[in-house]
Each structure stands twice: as C-alpha cells, then as structure tokens.
Amino acid sequence: MNSASPRGRIDVAGFGLRFGQTTAVSDISLHVKPGEFVSLIGPSGCGKSTVLNAVAGFLTPTAGRVLVDSEPVRGPSADRGMVFQQYSLFPWKTVRENVEFGLKMQGMGKSERLATARTLLSVAGLHAFENHYPEQLSGGMKQRVGIVRALATGPRVLLLDEPFGALDAQTRMIMQELLLDLWEGLKISVLFVTHDIDEAIFLSDRIYVVTAAPGRIKAELTVPLPRPRAAGMSETADFHHLRGRLLELIREESLRAMGNEVAAQSGRRAGLDLADAIGAARL
Amino acid sequence: MPDMVIEIGAPVAAPLAPAGSHRAAVRTALLRLRGPALGLLTIALALLAWDLLTTYRVSFHIRFLNVPTPASVLASASHAFSDPDFSYNLLISCRRIGTGFLAATALGVPLGLTMGRWRLLRDALLPLFEIVRPIPAIAWVPMSIMLWPSNEESIVFITFLGSFFPILLNTLMGMGQVDPVLVRAARCLGAKEVSIFREVLLPAVLPQVFTGLAVGMGVAWVSLIAAEMIAGQFGIGYFTWEAYSLVQYPDIVLGMVCIGALGLGSSALIRLVGWLVMPWGRLAGGRPK
C-alpha cells in the first residue's frame, strides 16, 4: 500500500476471448488510472465479468493484452483483490479468520494478523462480529466482510463483480457509501462491474458501456459529479443527464441482446456455457 | 426431574411469575420427556417379550426353545467380564477396527481429495474402484488369507476394505459439491495449491467426509465380525460363533449385545469428533447430525 510512484494502473488493450467458434468478447480496450474508480456497465451476459476475470487472472486472453502496472497478468494474485457477486466467504472460518486469510497466505505471524484484521474490521464497523460465522450474518454484512477481506492484503487494484446485486435497495446504498469511504481512504484503483446505472454513476469517475455479446466497448463516459459523493446527488441535473444517456445506450444493447437470443439462441448460449465451463476448469 | 419437583412443590419461590406460567413450564418439561420416555417404554416392552418368549419356551415356527433368557445372559455377562479372555476378545476386535478404519481414513480421504481435484487421477483410478467396490469385504476373506502372512493382518485388511470405499467415495462426492467461487476467492487472496487443499477443499468436504466415516465404520464392523467368525482365533465375532459351537447359548447373545454396543459407541465417537472439528456446522441444529 505504500508507494512513492502511484500504483494500480490497469491497461486492457485489444482484449478478446474466443472459445472455438464463439467470441465472448472482442477488441476491448480500457484503462484505469491509479486511484481511479471505473465501472463497466452493460446488459447481462455481455462479457463485463469476462473482462474482470481476465484482470483477476482467471482467464487468459486469446487476443490482446491485460496489464497491471505494465506487467502482463499471469494468474490470480493478492495484488488484485476481488469481490464476487456470490458471497464467497469461507463458511468454516469466522469473520476475523476470513479477513486474516490473505495475510496468512502472505506468511504474516498470528498476532500481527489478528491485530491487522481487528483494525480493518473496526474500520468497517464489524468488530462486534469478528467471532461470528458467515452463516450468522446478513447479506450486506457478508459482502462488507468480503470487501474487507479483499482489501486486507493491500492490493493495488480492487475488482468487484456486481457485488451488491443481491442486496436490497437500502443496504445497497449503505454499501456503496462504505465502498466509497474505503476507496477514498486507501486511494486504490477500482474496476467495478454492474448493470445498475445509478450505482455506476454514483460510484464512478468514468463508466465504460459494454455492448451485447460479443462484448465490445460501446461508449466511455466521464462522471462530472464532484467528490465526495452524497446521496442527494442523484437529484442533480448532471446525474439525470448522464442517467438518460446511459439508459439509452444500454437499452439499445439490451434489445440487441434479446434479438440475438431469439436469432442465434443456440450459438450464443453454447458460447456462454462454454465460457462458464472454461472459467470453472481454470479454477 | 428434581427441577420439576421444586416447581410443583414450591410455586411461592418465584412470586413474580403468575401461577399459570409454572403450569406451562411443567407441561413443557413433561413434553420434552415424552419422546425419551416412549423410547424407553418400547425397549422395556421388547425385553419383557424376550423374557416371556424364552421363559415359556414358545415355539410357533420360530423356535425360542434354545434361546437364552435375559437372566441367563446377564449371568454369563457377569461371569465373562471377570474373565480376562473375554476382555481380550473385545480389545482385539477394537484394535482391528481401529487399525483398519484409520488406515482406510488415512488413505481414503487424501485420495478422495486429490481425485476430486485432478481429473487425470480420477479418470485413471475410478473405473478400477468401481469394479472392485461391489465385491463385499466378506468375499475377500479367502483371498485375504492367501495374501497376508498372518491371520491378524488379513482380518485388518478386510476391515480396511470395508470402510475404504465409503470413505473415498463420499470424499470424492463432496469434492464435486465444493463451490468453485471459494477456490477462486482463495486464489485471489494468494493461496497456492497446498493451502487451497488445507484451507478450502478439506474443510469444504468435511461434512461428506464424516458421512463417509460413519458409513465406513458401520461396514467395517460388518466386515470384521464376518471375518472373525470365518477366520478369527480371537475377537468378539469369533467369541460369538464359538459360543454357538460350544453350545453356550447365553454367550451368543452376550456377543451380539457387545457388538451392538461397540458399533453404537464407535459411531457416536465419530459424530462427536465431527461435532468438535466442525464448529460452524453446529449453527443450524446445534447438535451433531
């Protein structure tokens, strides 16, 4: 986390992924500057998560490059923290043990681990639950632990794959604010995948719109809202204007995606299933 | 029970609570005792039936003529438990179970984990196991005697065989149910293969492993007793069969009861260990499965 030169730059250049005859994503180019908060938004199944998984190191590009701080990504690493849509906490570990996991993998001693985990948990308001098992927590709390766990090792970038998709609206707002607080405190680069337009605007510095399969970058928008963000900003003209544009862009793509599904249902489905299968095989 | 007596006898001891809540508490306590009481009643009735059938030497197709009475079994038990030979028989059976079962666990669990993780190993070994598995461990008795230099080893081997497949296959099945996102999360946090096994896969399959251990322990006893009856020179299975040969009928029942008790005890031990090593699994029911 200490750095003289800013770290955490993500460069995806001409990234493509094909499984046999099927193209999941093609020619995706995007970047995240150190400390920047960038969202990927698009219809479901468009390949946003594919990009994220490539940056995480779970997928190897069949075309183009994925670089983090000018280094090609080769497999997953604690340098790139990831928060999954499904709560991916280890059910057999307590909240604190979950947070300690990455530190343990780094070989940190027991007492130091304990102290670090406790500090992080209290920052996230979870200190009272350190000895709880994940099963005893609500969805929002689980995901809070997931974020803390991903940040514990001090990664250069944080990757989030629709992390709040399963939460109710109120909890989601709270989680978004918490994420922004942590991000502002840590000055970490964030790549955030969502299909929620308001969420993308509220959180991001920039937003990439991804097209329906095969995924490409359709548009790149800068969010003009000042920092720190506040809940009331969703009523401003800037917010409304941006939301209108995004709605339009995504509506086109969603329609196209549905059209695709009717026209080439079997082919595209097979491609997606294949993508899942390969993703699973590469675990 | 003492609690109940106090509640009924001294309601004034808790003047704040209305009398109705005492009655409710007593009713709850009684309801809680109803299940165990019913169970005990059935056991008592079964014992009574045994006693009547044997005392009056009932014979209607099924013949109770030579079946020992509960009293005679009790008498032979009190005699047997002061006899060092009998204790030795029990001890040696426990040792055989312990050795065979631990060997099966030590081999079956790691093999199940690695076969679940590496497809190549699974493809190589599973067909062989599928062919060998349906052969009951008892059918191995002659072969086992030929294979192993001592009777002792051949009996332990049979016990091992009986428990090995349930343990291996349950572990393997558990591996198929591990949520892949947990492995990905671990890798993102810097876990290498060895840590993934130790910190993710093993705890994730523990519930199925313990199912396998419980089933395996049952099969181990079946196999052990059969092997002892056929080939043993010691052991509780040998004792039971020998009792029949020597026309010491009370000892047959004594042997059976001991085998049942040991089986019950060993499966309770497995549940206890499972309960101890899986504290997160206690959340739902709070009790071992």
Side-chain angles (χ1 to χ4, degrees):
Chain A
M1 263 187 282
N2 60 327
S3 54
S5 58
R7 301 196 310 161
R9 188 183 168 85
I10 303 172
D11 285 290
V12 177
F15 167 67
L17 196 71
R18 286 163 51 94
F19 306 108
Q21 296 298 307
T22 321
T23 307
V25 295
S26 76
D27 197 28
I28 287 203
S29 293
L30 58 86
H31 69 276
V32 181
K33 286 176 275 193
E36 197 181 18
F37 199 123
V38 174
S39 286
L40 284 177
I41 193 165
S44 44
C46 72
K48 338 183 263 291
S49 299
T50 308
V51 179
L52 204 70
N53 279 320
V55 178
F58 290 120
L59 298 167
T60 314
T62 48
R65 286 172 307 160
V66 178
L67 307 173
V68 171
D69 290 332
S70 312
E71 299 263 334
V73 167
R74 287 196 189 88
S77 132
D79 282 345
R80 281 159 276 128
M82 185 142 176
V83 179
F84 300 86
Q85 179 178 16
Q86 314 95 308
Y87 314 116
S88 59
L89 301 181
F90 304 120
W92 45 88
K93 290 182 184 289
T94 62
V95 165
R96 180 166 51 73
E97 287 166 345
N98 264 284
V99 173
E100 281 183 27
F101 183 82
L103 304 169
K104 192 174 176 184
M105 293 302 110
Q106 289 182 336
M108 186 187 276
K110 206 168 185 176
S111 56
E112 204 182 336
R113 234 157 55 199
L114 184 92
T116 311
R118 285 214 168 123
T119 310
L120 287 166
L121 285 170
S122 56
V123 169
L126 287 162
H127 51 282
F129 302 97
E130 64 166 308
N131 291 321
H132 282 55
Y133 284 100
E135 197 184 309
Q136 297 168 293
L137 303 181
S138 68
M141 290 219 285
K142 278 185 207 168
Q143 208 53 302
R144 218 187 292 190
V145 178
I147 293 170
V148 173
R149 184 179 69 173
L151 290 171
T153 52
R156 297 185 226 175
V157 301
L158 184 63
L159 310 168
L160 301 104
D161 190 0
E162 303 197 25
F164 310 140
L167 303 178
D168 62 80
Q170 278 79 14
T171 312
R172 190 185 297 201
M173 277 298 291
I174 294 166
M175 293 297 293
Q176 288 165 358
E177 284 166 18
L178 176 90
L179 178 62
L180 283 184
D181 283 349
L182 287 169
W183 168 71
E184 268 153 21
L186 291 168
K187 312 247 182 283
I188 191 175
S189 315
V190 172
L191 188 56
F192 190 97
V193 164
T194 182
H195 58 249
D196 182 328
I197 293 173
D198 285 12
E199 182 170 74
I201 301 173
F202 181 68
L203 294 173
S204 314
D205 295 317
R206 278 187 302 124
I207 299 170
Y208 288 102
V209 180
V210 184
T211 63
R216 288 171 214 273
I217 301 290
K218 185 188 178 88
E220 178 194 346
L221 297 126
T222 304
V223 181
L225 302 174
R227 302 270 186 193
R229 301 277 160 84
M233 284 179 184
S234 55
E235 306 307 321
T236 61
D238 278 342
F239 199 105
H240 275 282
H241 177 70
L242 199 54
R243 180 199 277 146
R245 279 206 58 197
L246 280 166
L247 262 174
E248 202 179 314
L249 287 164
I250 290 165
R251 196 180 134 75
E252 281 171 27
E253 286 313 313
S254 298
L255 285 172
R256 223 165 62 81
M258 286 163 72
N260 274 0
E261 226 152 75
V262 176
Q265 200 164 26
S266 56
R268 207 177 70 79
R269 281 244 71 87
L272 285 173
D273 291 347
L274 203 60
D276 285 346
I278 291 175
R282 282 189 46 85
L283 274 179
Chain B
M1 285 303 271
D3 285 350
M4 268 176 47
V5 174
I6 290 164
E7 295 247 11
I8 298 163
V12 275
L16 287 175
S21 83
H22 282 286
R23 233 170 282 146
V26 170
R27 197 182 311 144
T28 319
L30 282 173
L31 274 175
R32 200 169 297 149
L33 286 171
R34 192 173 64 179
L38 270 174
L40 284 173
L41 184 69
T42 311
I43 292 169
L45 284 174
L47 284 172
L48 182 69
W50 173 22
D51 190 38
L52 291 174
L53 287 167
T54 50
T55 306
Y56 295 99
R57 299 164 67 83
V58 176
S59 177
F60 52 98
H61 194 71
I62 306 175
R63 299 153 300 153
F64 289 89
L65 302 171
N66 289 323
V67 178
T69 60
S72 68
V73 173
L74 213 59
S76 92
S78 69
H79 174 255
F81 279 105
S82 57
D83 179 2
D85 279 358
F86 181 73
S87 312
Y88 183 69
N89 279 326
L90 287 179
L91 197 73
I92 205 137
S93 287
C94 289
R95 204 182 68 192
R96 284 165 177 166
I97 277 282
T99 317
F101 181 76
L102 287 180
T105 307
L107 202 67
V109 174
L111 199 57
L113 285 172
T114 43
M115 281 172 71
R117 186 75 175 143
W118 292 312
R119 211 204 158 86
L120 222 57
L121 191 66
R122 183 169 65 235
D123 289 347
L125 293 180
L126 201 58
L128 174 67
F129 289 157
E130 288 296 343
I131 292 170
V132 178
R133 188 173 63 103
I135 303 169
I138 305 161
W140 276 88
V141 171
M143 177 64 79
S144 185
I145 291 169
M146 286 196 291
L147 281 173
W148 295 87
S150 77
N151 236 16
E152 191 59 29
E153 284 164 298
S154 64
I155 291 174
V156 169
F157 177 66
I158 305 253
T159 316
F160 162 85
L161 271 182
S163 46
F164 174 71
F165 288 112
I167 294 170
L168 171 80
L169 293 175
N170 274 285
T171 307
L172 186 59
M173 222 162 64
M175 284 294 285
Q177 290 165 19
V178 177
D179 188 349
V181 81
L182 296 178
V183 176
R184 305 175 74 171
R187 293 189 65 196
C188 266
L189 292 162
K192 298 283 173 267
E193 202 61 24
V194 175
S195 305
I196 288 173
F197 268 103
R198 200 184 50 226
E199 305 269 348
V200 182
L201 298 175
L202 181 61
V205 298
L206 269 185
Q208 282 94 341
V209 167
F210 272 90
T211 305
L213 293 182
V215 176
M217 182 57 98
V219 184
W221 274 107
V222 172
S223 314
L224 173 81
I225 297 305
E228 283 181 346
M229 284 185 168
I230 297 168
Q233 286 147 347
F234 308 100
I236 189 68
Y238 166 81
F239 171 88
T240 306
W241 187 252
E242 196 65 1
Y244 178 71
S245 308
L246 298 175
V247 205
Q248 305 204 320
Y249 296 142
D251 281 350
I252 294 178
V253 180
L254 176 64
M256 288 167 68
V257 170
C258 286
I259 292 163
L262 288 173
L264 196 69
S266 51
S267 72
L269 191 67
I270 287 171
R271 281 207 302 274
L272 176 69
V273 174
W275 190 77
L276 288 173
V277 302
M278 295 186 286
W280 67 93
R282 296 175 208 163
L283 300 173
R287 279 191 302 164
K289 278 192 293 185

